[in-house]
Amino acid sequence: MKEFVRLHSQDEALTAFVNTALESAIESSLARLISDYLKACPNLSNRAVFRTLQQLNQGTLDDLSREGFVSYIISHTRLSLNDVASARRSLRTFFAYSNKHGIERMAARGATGTVAPPVSELEAVHSRRIS
Amino acid sequence: MQPYVNIDAVVDRVVRRHRPPRLQNGVAVDIERMLADYYDIDIARIPDLRIGNASLQGCCFPDRLLILVEAHDAPTRQRFTLAHELGHLEMHYRNTMIQPLFPVEDEAAYFRCVTHEATSEFESQSTSQRRRKERQADVFAAKFLMPLLLVRTAWRQADGNLERCAELLVVSKQAMEYRLAELELATTAL
């Protein structure tokens, strides 16, 4: 837990309470990313997984690759390792789109021609994902 | 000139490396879990998947570890599409840091061609190469989802019933039929 304030040394419980309240009032980087993701992809069938992660209000996207943080999530929620891993991959994709990282290469199946799609178009396509 | 690709060897290498997980029926390859667990691929299902004016069954962004799949396709078709993209990853995108995905061209995206292009006498070399890679990926998908030993097992369990065999391997009846004919199993007593 971060220490935002330090009260009188005899008021440790109150200090912890205030710090917890302040910490929960600040949205973590991961929670903010999830919030944006859920807005951008409104048709997701596994929203509950992301909501749970969001409510935890901890960490960053990179933290989802750290064993310790994943263990923390699993121990504090009902999410499975697969849930967390799947969420990490989805958020990684969204993060790349939302930061307008260019599409380098692509291969497609079942199309009728060759096109170089702009990132904005792919972002729009991605926003319709359902899982 | 395009290098020769031994697709059987590629499939064998992938199977040996990852020992593909199975679906709950204990027979069919769990391609989705394999892509997620071993390749860290994000699989996004998109209804009415279109890019530009083209309807797609699926497309792959190797640099992003992302595969888009048409959500309205039957599960068997989605599985085949995923295996097809795995074929691209294994045969055409490996060592992406040191080699280009395709011969260097201006275009940034590569789509499968329609039939009339295949018969066109004006077909460009790049189109031909592209289609060849698509064909290779299709062959990879068939061999990966329906390897000989697995097909033998399923064919035996299905008592030689084509539909039942396709159900066991979670592939389309048509794909199963092609594969059985290729392996000359349908007419062979096991």
Side-chain angles (χ1 to χ4, degrees), chain B residues 71-121:
Chain B
H72 290 153
D73 275 351
T76 52
R77 196 172 190 189
Q78 289 185 31
R79 278 168 47 78
F80 197 89
T81 298
L82 291 173
H84 171 102
E85 301 303 342
L86 174 60
H88 279 310
L89 287 170
E90 283 292 338
M91 293 185 292
H92 310 137
Y93 299 161
R94 287 180 68 79
N95 300 321
T96 54
M97 297 297 286
I98 57 172
Q99 65 182 33
L101 170 58
F102 294 104
V104 177
E105 298 165 12
D106 290 337
E107 58 192 359
Y110 292 79
F111 298 132
R112 197 166 80 167
C113 306
V114 291
T115 308
H116 74 270
E117 283 178 311
T119 56
S120 167
E121 59 183 300

Side-chain angles (χ1 to χ4, degrees), chain A residues 71-131:
Chain A
S71 297
Y72 175 86
I73 292 169
I74 291 171
S75 65
H76 284 75
T77 66
R78 290 169 181 256
L79 297 181
S80 68
L81 183 59
N82 278 343
D83 289 333
V84 179
S86 175
R88 176 182 58 76
R89 288 189 288 269
S90 301
L91 290 169
R92 178 189 67 201
T93 299
F94 173 69
F95 181 79
Y97 277 124
S98 57
N99 284 278
K100 310 291 182 195
H101 291 173
I103 291 294
E104 300 83 8
R105 292 174 292 191
M106 173 179 127
R109 181 164 187 255
T112 56
T114 58
V115 195
V119 176
S120 57
E121 182 184 355
L122 291 170
E123 191 177 2
V125 169
H126 180 258
S127 70
R128 295 193 295 110
R129 77 182 287 175
I130 58 172
S131 71

Side-chain angles (χ1 to χ4, degrees), chain A:
Chain A
M1 186 178 70
K2 291 176 186 171
E3 191 173 63
F4 295 98
V5 296
R6 181 182 292 275
L7 301 179
H8 191 278
S9 59
Q10 291 180 339
D11 292 328
E12 285 181 9
L14 181 59
T15 300
F17 173 78
V18 171
N19 279 319
T20 302
L22 285 171
E23 189 173 357
S24 63
I26 298 169
E27 197 174 32
S28 73
S29 166
L30 181 61
R32 204 175 317 124
L33 180 67
I34 291 171
S35 175
D36 293 342
Y37 179 54
L38 294 178
K39 280 180 203 158
C41 302
N43 303 319
L44 288 172
S45 59
N46 56 343
R47 295 178 75 80
V49 170
F50 293 98
R51 287 274 185 227
T52 303
L53 281 174
Q54 188 182 18
Q55 284 162 7
L56 205 57
N57 197 22
Q58 302 279 331
T60 66
L61 176 58
D62 287 343
D63 287 338
L64 285 178
S65 302
R66 298 195 170 93
E67 287 178 12
F69 187 57
V70 173
S71 297
Y72 175 86
I73 292 169
I74 291 171
S75 65
H76 284 75
T77 66
R78 290 169 181 256
L79 297 181
S80 68
L81 183 59
N82 278 343
D83 289 333
V84 179
S86 175
R88 176 182 58 76
R89 288 189 288 269
S90 301
L91 290 169
R92 178 189 67 201
T93 299
F94 173 69
F95 181 79
Y97 277 124
S98 57
N99 284 278
K100 310 291 182 195
H101 291 173
I103 291 294
E104 300 83 8
R105 292 174 292 191
M106 173 179 127
R109 181 164 187 255
T112 56
T114 58
V115 195
V119 176
S120 57
E121 182 184 355
L122 291 170
E123 191 177 2
V125 169
H126 180 258
S127 70
R128 295 193 295 110
R129 77 182 287 175
I130 58 172
S131 71

Side-chain angles (χ1 to χ4, degrees), chain B residues 18-88:
Chain B
H18 299 306
R19 298 183 182 277
R22 307 285 179 202
L23 289 176
Q24 283 188 337
N25 72 6
V27 180
V29 171
D30 191 341
I31 179 69
E32 192 164 339
R33 198 175 128 207
M34 186 165 158
L35 283 166
D37 289 354
Y38 300 125
Y39 293 80
D40 201 25
I41 296 282
D42 178 25
I43 299 167
R45 290 189 163 76
I46 314 280
D48 302 316
L49 177 58
R50 295 179 72 83
I51 292 179
N53 292 319
S55 291
L56 306 177
Q57 291 155 23
C59 55
C60 177
F61 301 91
D63 297 310
R64 287 201 176 177
L65 300 177
L66 170 66
I67 292 177
L68 306 181
V69 184
E70 168 55 62
H72 290 153
D73 275 351
T76 52
R77 196 172 190 189
Q78 289 185 31
R79 278 168 47 78
F80 197 89
T81 298
L82 291 173
H84 171 102
E85 301 303 342
L86 174 60
H88 279 310

